[in-house]
Every structure is written in C-alpha cells, then in structure tokens.
Amino acid sequence: LFSLVVKGSEGELLSLPPTPALDTLFIRQPGRLTDRDLCTYNWNNRTMLGDIAHVCNRGFGKNSIFREKRDYSRFTESLYKLNNKEGALRSGSNNFFDNPPLQNKLVDILVWSLLPNHYHLLLHEPVDGGITEFIKRLGNSYTKYFNIKYERSGYLFQNAAKILRVEKDQHLIFLPLYIHLNPLDLFESKWKEGVQNKDAALNFLFG
C-alpha cells in the first residue's frame, strides 16, 4: 500500500518511494497534528490485535544509528527477516532480496522511514502480541550488529521503542504522509511550519 523514503547522513537517496499527496502537509494549517501527537508513548496492556500502531525510536543521546549505507541495508533486511513467527528467516543468496523466503508474518509493515538517528514504522498487528515481539527482535538484533561492527557496547537506542496505537481517523490519514516527509528534517528543520521552497523539497525527497 505504501513504501519508504530513506535518506543517508549525506542526504543521499537510498530508496525511491512513489510520490504521496505532499501538498496536504506542505502548508501549515490551524489544528495541524504535532510531533507529540504522532509519536507519543501510549502503550498499555490491552490487546492490539487488528490495530495499527506508529512505532518510532532514536539513538541514545540522539546519536546516529545509521552511519553508512550498509547499516540502512542491514536494518531493511531485518524488517523482513525478523517478521516471521517461527524466528529469523535465512536465505542462501548473497543478496537476501534476490530470493527471499516466505514469511509467516508477525506484523504488516505499511509505511517506514529511516533517518540517521531514528526510524518510523507504521504497523498493523494480525497476530496477538506481534508488534511488541517484532520490535523487541528488531532492537536486539540491530543493536548486536551495530555494536560488533563499530566495536562498542551498551545501549544503542535511547529508550524502549515508542508505540502509539492509531485510534483516530485523523491520525491514520496524516501518518503515512508524515512518515514519508520526515526526511525533510535533514533539508529544512522547520518544514512542519511550512516549506519555504516546495520544488527544492520535492527534489530533495525524490530527485
């Protein structure tokens, strides 16, 4: 249904998504949703079976969690490999996505975006407890990879991932656009207040 925008630390485009209806978020309007609305810890013990949730996390101390292109690729592979009830999937191919094995999904990944120091996911839960299990696997696996690669130890992420159950139609309408456009933080930090140069912003995202 949706795909992703990925920007590297140098602003390079790592994957090209289809163009969403950008105009709806390019102009600040009264009552517009804020970052606090769209990424607020709102987890409780109720089942989320059948629900949609916005999940986000950032690096400890706001440090980078992606330092080079391979880090983005590893995280992207993990989104697929770890999304399987019976455990991590493996492939005999050097390029995992040349011949990916079939999944028995924990979650449906609707939209996702990776930035140098944080990520956003929009997930649907078809299996009870699927989101929490998937996010736990993702955090543990990527932290282990990152610490071994960069010869470090300790926490990589600032806190447990923030999970926001999408309970309002308003949120479901804007979240895919918000996640797609989030890489504009690297181009124009105050873009949420209104983009100054829409053509330049579009070129940054898709050019």
Side-chain angles (χ1 to χ4, degrees), residues 95-156:
N95 185 340
F96 180 82
F97 291 111
D98 283 346
N99 186 29
L102 295 177
Q103 296 168 294
N104 189 9
K105 293 182 180 180
L106 289 165
V107 298
D108 297 312
I109 302 174
L110 305 178
V111 190
W112 47 293
S113 178
L114 311 180
L115 279 84
N117 72 347
H118 68 282
Y119 69 80
H120 292 270
L121 307 172
L122 190 63
L123 306 177
H124 168 255
E125 181 168 291
V127 176
D128 196 15
I131 289 178
T132 52
E133 176 62 23
F134 176 66
I135 294 303
K136 180 177 72 174
R137 291 182 187 182
L138 190 64
N140 289 342
S141 174
Y142 188 75
T143 297
K144 181 178 180 180
Y145 154 82
F146 192 92
N147 283 354
I148 291 173
K149 178 176 179 178
Y150 294 108
E151 299 180 340
R152 64 183 298 277
S153 61
Y155 296 108
L156 175 60

Side-chain angles (χ1 to χ4, degrees), residues 160-203:
K162 296 179 180 180
I163 300 173
L164 174 66
R165 185 199 308 268
V166 180
E167 297 179 333
K168 298 180 181 180
D169 290 344
Q170 179 188 23
H171 286 191
L172 187 58
I173 291 169
F174 279 100
L175 270 167
L177 296 175
Y178 173 83
I179 293 172
H180 272 297
L181 294 172
N182 207 252
L184 283 177
D185 285 346
L186 302 174
F187 172 74
E188 188 176 314
S189 61
K190 296 183 178 180
W191 69 270
K192 301 178 189 75
E193 299 174 7
V195 172
Q196 299 301 310
N197 187 329
K198 186 166 71 173
D199 289 339
L202 287 169
N203 185 63

